Amino acid sequence: MLAWIIHTPLIVLLLLYLAKRSRHTPLKVYFWPAAIYKILAGITLGLIYFYYYQHGDTLAINQELHAFSQICKENFSDYLNLLLSGETNNRYQALLNFYEQPRIHFFNRIASPLFLFSLNNYWITATYLSIFSFAGFWYFGEIIYKIYKVDPLAIAIALLFMPGIALWTSGLLKESLVTSSLFFSTAIILGYTEKLYPIRAPKLILACMLLFIAFHIKFYYTAVLLAVLPAYVISKKITGDNLTWKSLLPFLGFLITLLLILSHSNAYLNISTLAESIYNNYTATLQASGGSNIFIFENLQPTLSSMGKHSPQALFNGLFRPLPLDIHHWIAIPAAIENIFILTFTLTALFAYYKNKPQLPAVVLPALAFVILSATLITLASPNWGTLYRYKSPYMSVFLIMILNRNPLLLKIKQKLNYLWEQNH
């Protein structure tokens, strides 16, 4: 109770500060509903794990953070060394279940000071992480509206209110930190690229720090982003603001070059071991799933040619499945409903593009590349519907913006809702 008495005013003040900074954007009408929705999503996630699953990442992280707090209480100098270097003595290593797992151990080192600040309270820590996640999504939405004039309703649905995305990027999860870090850093870089504001060292340092954090926790996503963004920035200076066939070749050239360079940044990303790394994740996920809630890539082999052969299926699965016929448990129903929504609006968007052939901005290229590469890699490595539903949030947010922006079906729905509102008021 004491923790809530102390932190409730702080949480309210933090939200008021964010709301004040957002008062001059057309998105402001969504701020309070979206912020509250995000916090409730984080709490809902905790309740699902505590009372339904009764095991899983967020509970294991909670236990680990209590161990960090115990180390802090017993020996503050050892605790500081643990935070800064990731290392500690054998006695304290025995308390840490994830000490030998570098990615989640890295996340715990970041989350531990927040956990201590929250007086070792799971729910308060989850709330702060939900707010950080919300702020990253919100800032990204603000920036793409200012630069590309994306429909505010499309931004709101894609980044703020899509249930699966809101749930799995909230609360005490690695994804809350990683996804928000990716969106914060992307927004900062796009702001500089499009001359939205002058270059300032603090923001650049922040973007670099967030990318560093994201890379150490979820390197697949971050590596793709670190290739896609610079390729876009460089090629755009050569080919201009609009998407043409002439802009495709320079972008792909820079993208492939950067991907090859980044392949040396992590052993799992190296070209010589990438297919084997994906295959090992694939088989490990199948074994951990025990034959439940899975999908299979027939005759998948640890070779790049085999990965390429199965990439179209992986891309479709990553974007549009599970569908109703794929699910065998009631808890997967929301995912199937979301995917029907996504598939419907994708077909509508494709039909509208075929019919009208509008001039597209150059930013469509990096967005599409990020979606295709991320969806394919993540799906190949995660052949479990539940795992995929959780991991798809970064690329699905971008994909939703692409298919919802100026979508004729969404425009009709919005017009109908406006008409009903006027009739009743």
Side-chain angles (χ1 to χ4, degrees):
M1 181 59 73
L2 175 63
W4 282 109
I5 291 172
I6 294 171
H7 284 280
T8 299
L10 295 177
I11 290 168
V12 172
L13 287 172
L14 178 58
L15 290 172
L16 288 170
Y17 169 75
L18 293 174
K20 184 178 179 181
R21 288 180 60 89
S22 307
R23 66 186 185 276
H24 298 305
T25 169
L27 291 171
K28 64 184 179 181
V29 67
Y30 301 111
F31 181 88
W32 285 107
I36 294 169
Y37 182 70
K38 191 75 169 179
I39 291 170
L40 290 176
I43 292 172
T44 301
L45 179 87
L47 292 173
I48 290 171
Y49 272 95
F50 271 106
Y51 298 105
Y52 181 75
Y53 289 125
Q54 298 183 347
H55 64 86
D57 279 6
T58 190
L59 303 187
I61 291 169
N62 179 52
Q63 182 180 349
E64 192 87 344
L65 293 180
H66 275 289
F68 270 74
S69 298
Q70 181 181 336
I71 296 169
C72 178
K73 184 178 179 180
E74 293 182 5
N75 192 320
F76 186 68
S77 62
D78 276 0
Y79 173 72
L80 281 180
N81 183 59
L82 177 61
L83 291 188
L84 296 174
S85 71
E87 298 179 358
T88 189
N89 58 50
N90 291 335
R91 175 174 169 242
Y92 290 135
Q93 285 181 28
L95 298 175
L96 303 173
N97 296 321
F98 298 114
Y99 186 76
E100 300 294 337
Q101 300 182 37
R103 285 181 285 171
I104 192 167
H105 183 57
F106 185 77
F107 171 79
N108 290 333
R109 288 163 56 198
I110 295 171
S112 177
L114 177 61
F115 193 69
L116 282 171
F117 175 69
S118 303
L119 302 182
N120 298 332
N121 187 296
Y122 170 92
W123 304 102
I124 293 174
T125 307
T127 298
Y128 278 118
L129 281 170
S130 295
I131 293 172
F132 177 77
S133 178
F134 165 75
F137 278 84
W138 183 268
Y139 185 58
F140 180 70
E142 280 189 329
I143 293 298
I144 62 171
Y145 172 78
K146 289 177 182 177
I147 298 173
Y148 308 112
K149 296 298 180 284
V150 179
D151 179 9
L153 180 58
I155 293 173
I157 294 171
L159 299 179
L160 306 175
F161 293 109
M162 200 67 177
I165 294 172
L167 182 69
W168 292 111
T169 59
S170 300
L172 189 54
L173 285 176
K174 301 189 298 293
E175 288 75 18
S176 300
L177 178 61
V178 170
T179 310
S180 186
S181 295
L182 292 175
F183 281 134
F184 260 127
S185 53
T186 300
I188 291 169
I189 293 167
L190 286 177
Y192 290 146
T193 302
E194 306 295 345
K195 299 185 171 83
L196 199 60
Y197 40 68
I199 295 176
R200 293 191 176 94
K203 276 193 173 182
L204 276 178
I205 293 170
L206 176 62
C208 291
M209 287 176 58
L210 293 174
L211 286 171
F212 176 83
I213 289 169
F215 186 80
H216 276 72
I217 300 174
K218 294 282 185 182
F219 53 82
Y220 282 141
Y221 275 129
T222 316
V224 171
L225 183 66
L226 286 172
V228 164
L229 265 183
Y232 166 63
V233 172
I234 299 168
S235 62
K236 182 174 177 290
K237 291 185 180 297
I238 298 171
T239 59
D241 293 333
N242 292 324
L243 177 61
T244 64
W245 286 108
K246 291 182 180 180
S247 62
L248 183 60
L249 191 59
F251 173 76
L252 288 178
F254 289 123
L255 177 61
I256 292 169
T257 302
L258 288 164
L259 285 172
L260 289 172
I261 293 171
L262 284 165
S263 71
H264 297 285
S265 64
N266 187 291
Y268 293 103
L269 295 173
N270 195 283
I271 292 297
S272 61
T273 59
L274 178 62
E276 185 178 353
S277 300
I278 293 172
Y279 182 78
N280 289 339
N281 278 333
Y282 170 78
T283 55
T285 301
L286 289 179
Q287 290 172 5
S289 302
S292 174
N293 207 28
I294 61 171
F295 52 93
I296 303 291
F297 295 109
E298 293 293 339
N299 299 317
L300 182 68
Q301 300 296 321
T303 63
L304 289 176
S305 60
S306 180
M307 298 293 163
K309 177 183 176 182
H310 289 89
S311 289
Q313 180 191 349
L315 179 61
F316 184 83
N317 286 2
L319 293 178
F320 305 117
R321 294 178 69 188
L323 291 167
L325 294 179
D326 297 317
I327 63 174
H328 304 286
H329 196 284
W330 67 268
I331 203 166
I333 292 174
I337 294 172
E338 280 190 20
N339 286 328
I340 292 172
F341 173 91
I342 294 165
L343 186 56
T344 301
F345 277 92
T346 301
L347 294 173
T348 308
L350 289 173
F351 178 77
Y353 177 77
Y354 176 79
K355 181 180 178 181
N356 302 318
K357 293 183 173 57
Q359 177 64 60
L360 297 175
V363 74
V364 169
L365 261 182
L368 199 57
F370 178 75
V371 169
I372 292 172
L373 290 172
S374 299
T376 303
L377 285 171
I378 296 301
T379 310
L380 283 169
S382 308
N384 177 287
W385 295 126
T387 304
L388 179 61
Y389 188 49
R390 171 178 168 178
Y391 289 167
K392 71 196 300 184
S393 297
Y395 70 76
M396 185 51 68
S397 300
V398 176
F399 184 64
L400 281 168
I401 291 169
M402 295 174 68
I403 63 171
L404 293 177
N405 187 43
R406 298 182 179 88
N407 188 297
L409 178 58
L410 185 62
L411 292 174
K412 286 183 180 179
I413 292 172
K414 185 162 65 170
Q415 290 170 358
K416 184 66 174 178
L417 291 174
N418 287 338
Y419 173 78
L420 293 174
W421 174 266
E422 291 171 359
Q423 291 293 106
N424 290 282
H425 293 79

